[in-house]
Amino acid sequence: MWVWIIFIACVIVFLAVDLGVFNKKDHVIKSKEAGIWTAIWVTIALAFSGVIYWLFSSGLTENPTGLTPNDAVLKYITGYLIELSLSIDNVFVIAVIFTSFKIPAIYQHRVLFWGILGAIVFRALMILFGVALITKFEWIIYVFGVFLLFTAYKMLKGDENAFNPQNSFVFKQLKKIYPITTTIQGHDFFIRKKGVLAATPLFVALVVIELTDILFALDSIPAILAITADPFIVFSSNILAILGLRSMYFLISRMLQKFRYINYSLVVILAFVGVKMLLAHHIKFPEWVSLSVISIALLTGVLASLFITDKTADETKEK
Protein backbone atom coordinates (compact mmCIF):
# COMPACT_ATOMS: atom_id res chain seq x y z
CA MET A 1 0.00 0.00 0.00
CA TRP A 2 2.91 2.39 0.53
CA VAL A 3 3.35 2.73 -3.25
CA TRP A 4 -0.25 3.94 -3.51
CA ILE A 5 0.15 6.26 -0.51
CA ILE A 6 3.33 7.86 -1.92
CA PHE A 7 1.75 8.29 -5.36
CA ILE A 8 -1.40 9.93 -3.95
CA ALA A 9 0.74 12.11 -1.63
CA CYS A 10 2.76 13.31 -4.66
CA VAL A 11 -0.45 14.17 -6.52
CA ILE A 12 -1.67 16.19 -3.51
CA VAL A 13 1.68 18.01 -3.33
CA PHE A 14 1.53 18.80 -7.07
CA LEU A 15 -1.97 20.24 -6.67
CA ALA A 16 -1.05 22.22 -3.54
CA VAL A 17 1.98 23.77 -5.27
CA ASP A 18 -0.12 24.50 -8.36
CA LEU A 19 -2.83 26.44 -6.49
CA GLY A 20 -0.77 27.73 -3.56
CA VAL A 21 2.34 28.90 -5.44
CA PHE A 22 2.01 29.20 -9.23
CA ASN A 23 -1.67 30.17 -9.28
CA LYS A 24 -2.04 31.82 -5.90
CA LYS A 25 -3.29 34.97 -7.61
CA ASP A 26 -6.09 34.68 -10.14
CA HIS A 27 -4.91 35.48 -13.64
CA VAL A 28 -5.76 34.71 -17.25
CA ILE A 29 -3.83 31.67 -18.48
CA LYS A 30 -2.16 32.64 -21.76
CA SER A 31 -1.32 30.13 -24.50
CA LYS A 32 2.44 30.32 -23.75
CA GLU A 33 1.95 29.51 -20.07
CA ALA A 34 -0.53 26.74 -20.91
CA GLY A 35 1.93 25.27 -23.44
CA ILE A 36 4.75 25.23 -20.87
CA TRP A 37 2.58 23.53 -18.23
CA THR A 38 1.21 21.03 -20.76
CA ALA A 39 4.80 20.10 -21.67
CA ILE A 40 5.68 19.76 -17.96
CA TRP A 41 2.73 17.48 -17.21
CA VAL A 42 3.35 15.30 -20.29
CA THR A 43 7.05 15.04 -19.36
CA ILE A 44 6.18 14.02 -15.79
CA ALA A 45 3.69 11.42 -17.06
CA LEU A 46 6.13 9.91 -19.56
CA ALA A 47 8.98 9.97 -17.02
CA PHE A 48 6.72 8.03 -14.64
CA SER A 49 7.00 5.09 -17.04
CA GLY A 50 10.54 4.70 -15.62
CA VAL A 51 9.03 4.44 -12.14
CA ILE A 52 6.58 1.81 -13.43
CA TYR A 53 9.49 -0.23 -14.84
CA TRP A 54 11.39 0.04 -11.53
CA LEU A 55 8.35 -0.95 -9.42
CA PHE A 56 7.57 -4.03 -11.52
CA SER A 57 11.19 -5.13 -11.97
CA SER A 58 11.93 -4.89 -8.24
CA GLY A 59 8.60 -6.36 -7.12
CA LEU A 60 7.74 -3.32 -5.01
CA THR A 61 4.12 -3.33 -6.14
CA GLU A 62 1.52 -6.06 -6.47
CA ASN A 63 1.41 -7.66 -9.90
CA PRO A 64 -1.94 -9.49 -10.04
CA THR A 65 -1.89 -9.86 -13.84
CA GLY A 66 1.72 -11.14 -13.98
CA LEU A 67 3.16 -8.38 -16.17
CA THR A 68 6.81 -8.14 -17.13
CA PRO A 69 8.41 -4.70 -16.53
CA ASN A 70 8.45 -3.98 -20.30
CA ASP A 71 4.79 -4.95 -20.72
CA ALA A 72 3.87 -2.85 -17.69
CA VAL A 73 5.51 0.22 -19.25
CA LEU A 74 3.79 -0.33 -22.61
CA LYS A 75 0.41 -0.76 -20.94
CA TYR A 76 0.96 2.36 -18.84
CA ILE A 77 1.90 4.53 -21.86
CA THR A 78 -1.00 3.10 -23.91
CA GLY A 79 -3.45 3.77 -21.08
CA TYR A 80 -2.10 7.30 -20.65
CA LEU A 81 -2.49 8.07 -24.37
CA ILE A 82 -6.04 6.72 -24.38
CA GLU A 83 -7.07 8.88 -21.44
CA LEU A 84 -5.28 11.93 -22.85
CA SER A 85 -6.93 11.54 -26.26
CA LEU A 86 -10.41 11.01 -24.82
CA SER A 87 -9.88 14.11 -22.64
CA ILE A 88 -9.88 16.19 -25.83
CA ASP A 89 -13.63 15.65 -26.07
CA ASN A 90 -13.87 16.87 -22.47
CA VAL A 91 -12.17 20.11 -23.49
CA PHE A 92 -14.94 20.86 -26.00
CA VAL A 93 -17.62 20.44 -23.32
CA ILE A 94 -15.74 22.49 -20.69
CA ALA A 95 -15.44 25.34 -23.19
CA VAL A 96 -19.22 25.25 -23.78
CA ILE A 97 -19.91 25.21 -20.01
CA PHE A 98 -17.67 28.22 -19.33
CA THR A 99 -19.25 30.14 -22.21
CA SER A 100 -22.80 29.24 -21.16
CA PHE A 101 -22.34 30.40 -17.55
CA LYS A 102 -20.21 33.40 -18.62
CA ILE A 103 -17.26 32.42 -16.43
CA PRO A 104 -14.51 35.07 -16.78
CA ALA A 105 -11.20 33.69 -18.07
CA ILE A 106 -9.43 34.91 -14.93
CA TYR A 107 -11.40 32.45 -12.73
CA GLN A 108 -11.51 29.44 -15.05
CA HIS A 109 -8.31 27.87 -13.67
CA ARG A 110 -9.70 27.84 -10.11
CA VAL A 111 -12.92 26.15 -11.25
CA LEU A 112 -10.94 23.53 -13.16
CA PHE A 113 -8.62 22.99 -10.18
CA TRP A 114 -11.46 21.93 -7.88
CA GLY A 115 -13.07 20.05 -10.75
CA ILE A 116 -9.91 17.99 -11.25
CA LEU A 117 -9.67 17.32 -7.50
CA GLY A 118 -13.19 15.91 -7.46
CA ALA A 119 -12.54 13.97 -10.66
CA ILE A 120 -9.58 12.20 -9.03
CA VAL A 121 -11.79 10.93 -6.19
CA PHE A 122 -14.59 9.76 -8.50
CA ARG A 123 -12.17 8.15 -10.98
CA ALA A 124 -10.48 6.25 -8.14
CA LEU A 125 -13.83 4.80 -7.05
CA MET A 126 -14.84 3.90 -10.61
CA ILE A 127 -11.48 2.24 -11.30
CA LEU A 128 -11.74 0.26 -8.06
CA PHE A 129 -15.18 -1.08 -8.96
CA GLY A 130 -14.26 -1.57 -12.63
CA VAL A 131 -11.21 -3.70 -11.82
CA ALA A 132 -13.22 -5.65 -9.25
CA LEU A 133 -15.97 -6.37 -11.81
CA ILE A 134 -13.55 -7.57 -14.50
CA THR A 135 -11.66 -9.70 -11.96
CA LYS A 136 -14.78 -11.33 -10.53
CA PHE A 137 -16.99 -11.46 -13.63
CA GLU A 138 -14.96 -12.07 -16.79
CA TRP A 139 -18.04 -11.72 -18.99
CA ILE A 140 -18.34 -8.03 -18.01
CA ILE A 141 -15.56 -7.31 -20.52
CA TYR A 142 -18.07 -8.02 -23.32
CA VAL A 143 -20.49 -5.48 -21.83
CA PHE A 144 -17.70 -2.87 -21.76
CA GLY A 145 -16.77 -3.76 -25.36
CA VAL A 146 -20.31 -3.29 -26.68
CA PHE A 147 -20.66 -0.05 -24.72
CA LEU A 148 -17.47 1.38 -26.27
CA LEU A 149 -18.59 0.40 -29.79
CA PHE A 150 -21.94 2.09 -29.15
CA THR A 151 -20.14 5.21 -27.89
CA ALA A 152 -17.93 5.23 -30.99
CA TYR A 153 -21.05 4.97 -33.18
CA LYS A 154 -22.75 7.87 -31.38
CA MET A 155 -19.61 9.98 -31.73
CA LEU A 156 -19.37 9.17 -35.45
CA LYS A 157 -23.04 9.93 -36.01
CA GLY A 158 -22.75 13.21 -34.12
CA ASP A 159 -25.39 15.05 -32.16
CA GLU A 160 -27.40 17.60 -34.09
CA ASN A 161 -28.60 19.28 -30.89
CA ALA A 162 -25.94 21.52 -29.39
CA PHE A 163 -25.20 20.90 -25.72
CA ASN A 164 -26.65 23.68 -23.55
CA PRO A 165 -25.62 23.38 -19.87
CA GLN A 166 -28.41 25.73 -18.75
CA ASN A 167 -30.99 23.32 -20.16
CA SER A 168 -29.35 20.28 -18.58
CA PHE A 169 -31.03 18.11 -15.96
CA VAL A 170 -28.22 18.86 -13.48
CA PHE A 171 -28.68 22.64 -13.68
CA LYS A 172 -32.47 22.40 -13.31
CA GLN A 173 -32.18 20.17 -10.23
CA LEU A 174 -29.49 22.37 -8.70
CA LYS A 175 -31.81 25.39 -8.97
CA LYS A 176 -34.44 23.49 -6.99
CA ILE A 177 -32.00 22.51 -4.23
CA TYR A 178 -30.00 25.71 -3.73
CA PRO A 179 -30.46 29.44 -4.48
CA ILE A 180 -28.41 30.50 -7.52
CA THR A 181 -27.30 34.02 -8.34
CA THR A 182 -25.97 35.40 -11.61
CA THR A 183 -23.58 37.65 -9.67
CA ILE A 184 -19.87 36.80 -9.74
CA GLN A 185 -17.93 38.20 -6.79
CA GLY A 186 -14.23 37.40 -7.17
CA HIS A 187 -13.46 33.69 -7.22
CA ASP A 188 -16.05 32.84 -4.53
CA PHE A 189 -18.29 29.85 -5.14
CA PHE A 190 -20.90 31.20 -2.68
CA ILE A 191 -21.92 34.73 -1.74
CA ARG A 192 -24.43 36.14 0.72
CA LYS A 193 -27.10 38.14 -1.06
CA LYS A 194 -29.87 39.85 0.96
CA GLY A 195 -29.03 37.60 3.90
CA VAL A 196 -29.29 34.42 1.83
CA LEU A 197 -26.28 32.26 0.91
CA ALA A 198 -26.44 31.69 -2.84
CA ALA A 199 -24.31 29.72 -5.29
CA THR A 200 -22.48 31.75 -7.93
CA PRO A 201 -22.10 30.72 -11.59
CA LEU A 202 -18.60 29.45 -10.67
CA PHE A 203 -20.09 26.80 -8.36
CA VAL A 204 -22.76 25.86 -10.91
CA ALA A 205 -20.09 25.45 -13.61
CA LEU A 206 -18.00 23.35 -11.20
CA VAL A 207 -20.89 20.96 -10.47
CA VAL A 208 -21.77 20.58 -14.16
CA ILE A 209 -18.10 19.99 -15.09
CA GLU A 210 -17.76 17.43 -12.28
CA LEU A 211 -20.79 15.41 -13.33
CA THR A 212 -19.86 15.71 -17.00
CA ASP A 213 -16.44 14.25 -16.19
CA ILE A 214 -18.13 11.27 -14.55
CA LEU A 215 -20.02 10.65 -17.80
CA PHE A 216 -16.77 10.87 -19.77
CA ALA A 217 -15.16 8.45 -17.31
CA LEU A 218 -17.78 5.87 -18.30
CA ASP A 219 -16.00 5.79 -21.69
CA SER A 220 -12.37 6.24 -20.72
CA ILE A 221 -12.13 3.82 -17.78
CA PRO A 222 -13.52 0.80 -19.68
CA ALA A 223 -11.13 1.77 -22.51
CA ILE A 224 -8.12 1.62 -20.17
CA LEU A 225 -9.40 -1.60 -18.58
CA ALA A 226 -9.23 -3.12 -22.07
CA ILE A 227 -5.49 -2.49 -22.00
CA THR A 228 -4.82 -3.83 -18.51
CA ALA A 229 -6.63 -4.83 -15.32
CA ASP A 230 -3.64 -3.90 -13.15
CA PRO A 231 -5.18 -1.37 -10.71
CA PHE A 232 -2.04 0.73 -10.16
CA ILE A 233 -1.31 1.15 -13.88
CA VAL A 234 -4.95 2.03 -14.60
CA PHE A 235 -5.07 4.52 -11.72
CA SER A 236 -1.70 6.21 -12.29
CA SER A 237 -2.14 6.59 -16.08
CA ASN A 238 -5.65 7.96 -15.59
CA ILE A 239 -4.73 10.46 -12.85
CA LEU A 240 -1.60 11.78 -14.58
CA ALA A 241 -3.64 12.40 -17.74
CA ILE A 242 -6.29 14.25 -15.71
CA LEU A 243 -3.65 16.43 -14.02
CA GLY A 244 -2.57 17.72 -17.42
CA LEU A 245 -6.15 18.37 -18.55
CA ARG A 246 -6.30 21.91 -17.10
CA SER A 247 -3.26 23.24 -18.96
CA MET A 248 -4.30 21.30 -22.07
CA TYR A 249 -7.69 23.00 -21.91
CA PHE A 250 -6.16 26.49 -21.96
CA LEU A 251 -3.80 25.43 -24.74
CA ILE A 252 -6.24 23.88 -27.21
CA SER A 253 -9.60 25.46 -26.27
CA ARG A 254 -8.58 28.47 -28.37
CA MET A 255 -7.81 26.20 -31.33
CA LEU A 256 -10.88 23.92 -31.28
CA GLN A 257 -11.87 24.78 -34.85
CA LYS A 258 -8.44 23.73 -36.15
CA PHE A 259 -8.83 20.20 -34.76
CA ARG A 260 -12.13 19.45 -36.47
CA TYR A 261 -11.05 15.91 -37.51
CA ILE A 262 -9.82 14.81 -34.09
CA ASN A 263 -13.25 13.33 -33.28
CA TYR A 264 -12.70 10.73 -36.03
CA SER A 265 -9.47 9.75 -34.26
CA LEU A 266 -11.44 9.20 -31.05
CA VAL A 267 -14.00 7.10 -32.96
CA VAL A 268 -11.20 4.85 -34.28
CA ILE A 269 -9.64 4.52 -30.81
CA LEU A 270 -12.92 3.66 -29.07
CA ALA A 271 -13.92 1.22 -31.83
CA PHE A 272 -10.54 -0.52 -31.71
CA VAL A 273 -10.62 -0.85 -27.93
CA GLY A 274 -14.22 -2.10 -28.07
CA VAL A 275 -13.31 -4.80 -30.61
CA LYS A 276 -10.26 -5.70 -28.53
CA MET A 277 -12.48 -6.26 -25.48
CA LEU A 278 -14.93 -8.42 -27.43
CA LEU A 279 -12.06 -10.59 -28.74
CA ALA A 280 -10.12 -10.61 -25.45
CA HIS A 281 -10.74 -14.32 -24.77
CA HIS A 282 -9.96 -15.35 -28.36
CA ILE A 283 -7.21 -13.10 -29.74
CA LYS A 284 -4.32 -11.58 -27.80
CA PHE A 285 -3.25 -8.27 -29.33
CA PRO A 286 0.44 -7.45 -28.75
CA GLU A 287 0.96 -4.25 -26.75
CA TRP A 288 2.74 -2.53 -29.61
CA VAL A 289 -0.35 -2.98 -31.80
CA SER A 290 -2.58 -1.07 -29.36
CA LEU A 291 0.01 1.65 -28.90
CA SER A 292 0.50 1.96 -32.68
CA VAL A 293 -3.23 2.17 -33.47
CA ILE A 294 -3.80 4.88 -30.84
CA SER A 295 -0.73 6.92 -31.87
CA ILE A 296 -1.48 6.68 -35.62
CA ALA A 297 -5.15 7.57 -35.09
CA LEU A 298 -4.25 10.69 -33.10
CA LEU A 299 -1.49 11.75 -35.49
CA THR A 300 -3.75 11.25 -38.51
CA GLY A 301 -6.53 13.33 -36.93
CA VAL A 302 -4.13 16.19 -36.12
CA LEU A 303 -2.47 16.17 -39.57
CA ALA A 304 -5.84 15.97 -41.34
CA SER A 305 -7.06 18.96 -39.31
CA LEU A 306 -3.97 20.96 -40.21
CA PHE A 307 -3.68 20.16 -43.91
CA ILE A 308 -7.19 19.41 -45.20
CA THR A 309 -9.01 22.58 -46.19
CA ASP A 310 -12.37 23.28 -44.59
CA LYS A 311 -14.54 23.90 -47.67
CA THR A 312 -17.45 25.20 -45.58
CA ALA A 313 -15.26 27.85 -43.96
CA ASP A 314 -13.80 28.82 -47.33
CA GLU A 315 -17.26 29.20 -48.88
CA THR A 316 -18.33 31.38 -45.93
CA LYS A 317 -15.30 33.64 -46.41
CA GLU A 318 -16.01 33.98 -50.13
CA LYS A 319 -19.58 35.04 -49.43
Side-chain angles (χ1 to χ4, degrees):
M1 287 298 296
W2 70 267
V3 173
W4 287 79
I5 293 170
I6 292 175
F7 178 78
I8 293 171
C10 287
V11 170
I12 293 172
V13 169
F14 285 152
L15 290 171
V17 170
D18 184 346
L19 189 64
V21 178
F22 293 104
N23 293 283
K24 189 174 183 179
K25 293 183 179 180
D26 296 319
H27 65 285
V28 177
I29 308 294
K30 300 290 181 64
S31 295
K32 182 179 178 181
E33 181 183 354
I36 292 171
W37 276 108
T38 299
I40 290 172
W41 285 119
V42 171
T43 301
I44 290 173
L46 294 179
F48 193 75
S49 60
V51 177
I52 293 288
Y53 184 90
W54 172 62
L55 290 174
F56 279 82
S57 61
S58 57
L60 293 174
T61 184
E62 289 186 17
N63 189 2
T65 55
L67 296 174
T68 65
N70 288 329
D71 281 345
V73 169
L74 281 173
K75 287 179 181 294
Y76 164 78
I77 294 175
T78 305
Y80 173 73
L81 285 178
I82 283 180
E83 178 58 38
L84 201 63
S85 59
L86 293 179
S87 293
I88 294 173
D89 226 25
N90 216 342
V91 169
F92 284 78
V93 176
I94 291 172
V96 172
I97 293 170
F98 280 152
T99 302
S100 178
F101 293 113
K102 297 180 175 62
I103 307 299
I106 194 172
Y107 303 130
Q108 290 179 5
H109 181 277
R110 183 169 291 268
V111 174
L112 283 179
F113 173 87
W114 292 108
I116 295 299
L117 196 62
I120 289 173
V121 176
F122 287 118
R123 297 278 179 122
L125 293 172
M126 294 177 76
I127 289 168
L128 178 67
F129 287 113
V131 171
L133 280 172
I134 284 185
T135 304
K136 191 167 185 179
F137 307 105
E138 289 190 358
W139 54 266
I140 204 75
I141 198 169
Y142 297 119
V143 177
F144 285 161
V146 171
F147 177 74
L148 290 178
L149 286 175
F150 177 67
T151 304
Y153 168 74
K154 284 201 305 179
M155 191 176 289
L156 180 63
K157 187 179 178 183
D159 189 359
E160 294 180 358
N161 299 316
F163 171 62
N164 186 350
Q166 296 196 28
N167 292 333
S168 66
F169 174 79
V170 175
F171 180 66
K172 290 177 181 177
Q173 297 307 308
L174 195 60
K175 284 175 66 177
K176 295 178 182 178
I177 298 171
Y178 211 86
I180 295 175
T181 177
T182 56
T183 304
I184 293 180
Q185 188 173 307
H187 59 233
D188 296 333
F189 289 110
F190 297 93
I191 61 172
R192 194 166 291 280
K193 196 173 183 181
K194 296 180 180 179
V196 177
L197 193 65
T200 67
L202 270 68
F203 179 75
V204 178
L206 173 63
V207 172
V208 176
I209 286 173
E210 200 71 72
L211 295 178
T212 302
D213 181 77
I214 293 175
L215 293 177
F216 276 103
L218 293 176
D219 298 336
S220 63
I221 289 178
I224 292 182
L225 290 174
I227 303 302
T228 179
D230 184 277
F232 185 70
I233 291 178
V234 173
F235 181 70
S236 58
S237 60
N238 205 281
I239 298 308
L240 285 171
I242 290 176
L243 287 175
L245 178 60
R246 289 163 304 154
S247 54
M248 190 171 73
Y249 166 77
F250 292 107
L251 180 64
I252 70 174
S253 61
R254 301 178 180 99
M255 302 183 293
L256 291 180
Q257 296 302 319
K258 291 184 180 180
F259 294 101
R260 60 190 180 281
Y261 290 111
I262 202 70
N263 265 10
Y264 294 106
S265 299
L266 304 185
V267 169
V268 171
I269 291 171
L270 286 174
F272 169 74
V273 174
V275 170
K276 184 179 178 181
M277 290 189 110
L278 292 176
L279 299 177
H281 295 144
H282 308 285
I283 299 175
K284 178 71 175 177
F285 287 90
E287 295 311 317
W288 65 266
V289 172
S290 300
L291 189 57
S292 299
V293 169
I294 294 165
S295 302
I296 292 171
L298 282 174
L299 184 61
T300 303
V302 171
L303 292 177
S305 300
L306 293 175
F307 294 108
I308 296 179
T309 306
D310 187 353
K311 294 182 179 179
T312 305
D314 290 344
E315 289 174 0
T316 304
K317 286 180 181 179
E318 288 176 4
K319 290 178 182 179

